[in-house]
Amino acid sequence: MVEKDSTARTRELGHRMKAFRQRRHFSGADVSRRNGWLQSKVTRWEQGLRELSVVDAALYLATCGEAEPERDLLLELTQPGGDLYWVRPYFDELVDPMKSLAIQENLAHTLVRYESLTLPGLLQTEQYARTAFELIGNRDQAQLDQVVTARMERQRLLQRDRPPRCRFYVHERALRSVVGGPRIMHEQLLHLVLSANLPYCSIRIVPESGGVGTVLENSFTIMEFTEHPAVVYTDSYAAGVFIDDRVAVEAYYSLVARLESDTLTEERSRQTLAEWADRYDRMEE
């Protein structure tokens, strides 16, 4: 198999392979020896730096003692498809786009997120997240509980000893959009005020009168890694998409540069968040 830059798909495949192997208490050397592979080959598969064929994936799984659900998922991940634009559909029983996103976020050292209509998922309170998912209305109660739990678990990466550096660009209309009522919004804005004071977390408000933000509706995340090229994640009602195409990623960086020129300073952004928290507090009276 040809050596190549890692992509979101190969990184997730490698992450899941390694986790599967470790849960079965096998070492990389065990898997290599039993299949006659060089250990470096297994290491690079698990780092997402080498393509894995369906045959090799089946051998890897058989060595570790395959489990049917994980077998199907790992074999699905070996299918390259259009690697530079990797689609993760929400309505596929085998695919969990939020798990895919969480894996990439936990591997990244820097996250840059732009939000146009809602507040950043990594900074949402549980009640805000639940209400937002309820308003979308495409999940039953069990699925709703599951997706809210997943969102809260994603936020654990911000509680690590060395969390990724996060820059959030939030459009002012997301502050104005009332999700669930003034009480929920008051608690959510207070949470943002506290988050904005953390050393690894920068929140910048894109004002209504801004330039590109007035017409930019799609939210997106740029994730940067120590050993891999940056990747962009964006989603819609039906699917999440990981973009590894270098030209497209650079276009998103150019977009961030334009947003940066339109945003309020960090200090003024914190003041704006506090003002909105106070505004929603007074609405409750």
Side-chain angles (χ1 to χ4, degrees), residues 16-27:
R16 288 182 181 273
M17 287 172 60
K18 183 177 180 180
F20 177 66
R21 170 177 62 73
Q22 291 176 334
R23 284 197 302 274
R24 297 307 178 97
H25 304 292
F26 281 88
S27 69

Side-chain angles (χ1 to χ4, degrees), residues 243-263:
I243 303 171
D244 285 283
D245 183 272
R246 294 301 96 206
V247 175
V249 171
E250 288 302 320
Y252 274 97
Y253 274 112
S254 297
L255 200 53
V256 169
R258 294 172 65 191
L259 283 170
E260 180 78 21
S261 66
D262 295 333
T263 57

Side-chain angles (χ1 to χ4, degrees), residues 14 19 25 27 31 46 68-69 101-102 127 143 145 147 175 203 206 218 244 266 277:
H25 304 292
S27 69
V31 175
E46 294 181 351
E68 186 172 344
L101 177 59
Q127 194 58 55
Q143 292 170 327
D145 291 340
V147 75
L175 308 182
I203 303 177
V206 182
N218 290 337
D244 285 283
E266 287 193 30

Side-chain angles (χ1 to χ4, degrees), residues 4 24 33 38-39 83 91 93 105 133 137 164-165 177 181 185 192 194 196 212 231 237 252:
K4 56 178 287 181
R24 297 307 178 97
R33 183 175 60 256
L38 294 175
Q39 187 168 348
D83 250 1
F91 302 107
E93 292 183 2
E105 288 174 334
F133 283 124
R165 298 201 64 83
S177 299
M185 292 301 296
L192 290 183
L194 295 174
V212 65
V231 63
Y237 181 77
Y252 274 97

Side-chain angles (χ1 to χ4, degrees), residues 3-232:
E3 299 290 331
K4 56 178 287 181
D5 287 338
S6 73
T7 65
R9 178 185 61 82
T10 59
R11 284 194 295 276
E12 178 172 347
L13 175 59
H15 174 90
R16 288 182 181 273
M17 287 172 60
K18 183 177 180 180
F20 177 66
R21 170 177 62 73
Q22 291 176 334
R23 284 197 302 274
R24 297 307 178 97
H25 304 292
F26 281 88
S27 69
D30 291 332
V31 175
S32 303
R33 183 175 60 256
R34 293 189 182 199
N35 290 285
W37 295 328
L38 294 175
Q39 187 168 348
S40 61
K41 175 186 285 190
V42 174
T43 299
R44 293 184 73 76
W45 277 336
E46 294 181 351
Q47 291 175 339
L49 294 173
R50 187 182 179 96
E51 279 288 2
L52 179 69
S53 71
V54 173
V55 172
D56 285 335
L59 289 171
Y60 184 103
L61 289 166
T63 302
C64 298
E66 67 182 58
E68 186 172 344
E70 293 181 80
R71 178 198 65 197
D72 291 344
L73 176 58
L74 288 176
L75 292 180
E76 184 267 338
L77 286 169
T78 65
Q79 304 305 309
D83 250 1
L84 298 184
Y85 291 84
W86 189 43
V87 179
R88 309 299 282 154
Y90 284 116
F91 302 107
D92 185 326
E93 292 183 2
L94 189 61
V95 175
D96 183 354
M98 289 301 96
K99 178 63 175 177
S100 297
L101 177 59
I103 288 172
Q104 303 300 322
E105 288 174 334
N106 276 277
L107 292 172
H109 64 70
T110 300
L111 304 174
V112 180
R113 177 71 180 176
Y114 169 69
E115 285 287 357
S116 60
L117 298 174
T118 60
L119 299 173
L122 286 174
L123 300 179
Q124 289 179 5
T125 63
E126 183 172 349
Q127 194 58 55
Y128 181 99
R130 179 173 295 277
T131 305
F133 283 124
E134 286 174 346
L135 290 171
I136 294 172
N138 61 346
R139 295 174 174 88
D140 60 28
Q141 188 59 51
Q143 292 170 327
L144 181 65
D145 291 340
Q146 185 178 27
V147 75
V148 171
T149 298
R151 175 150 294 181
M152 295 301 102
E153 289 179 350
R154 272 180 62 209
Q155 297 180 5
R156 291 182 182 176
L157 88 162
L158 301 181
Q159 300 164 9
R160 297 185 329 205
D161 290 338
R162 298 179 63 184
R165 298 201 64 83
C166 300
R167 289 173 18 227
F168 298 100
Y169 296 91
V170 182
H171 200 282
E172 188 178 353
R173 56 179 166 251
L175 308 182
R176 297 179 181 275
S177 299
V178 180
V179 175
R183 181 184 62 80
I184 290 175
M185 292 301 296
H186 171 62
E187 292 176 356
Q188 175 64 76
L189 267 294
L190 282 180
H191 181 64
L192 290 183
V193 171
L194 295 174
S195 299
N197 285 287
L198 297 173
Y200 57 82
C201 183
S202 169
I203 303 177
R204 302 282 296 277
I205 303 301
V206 182
E208 292 278 10
S209 59
V212 65
T214 59
V215 294
L216 181 61
E217 295 185 355
N218 290 337
S219 299
F220 61 87
T221 303
I222 301 175
M223 290 172 276
E224 299 176 348
F225 308 90
T226 302
E227 298 180 350
H228 310 294
V231 63
V232 172

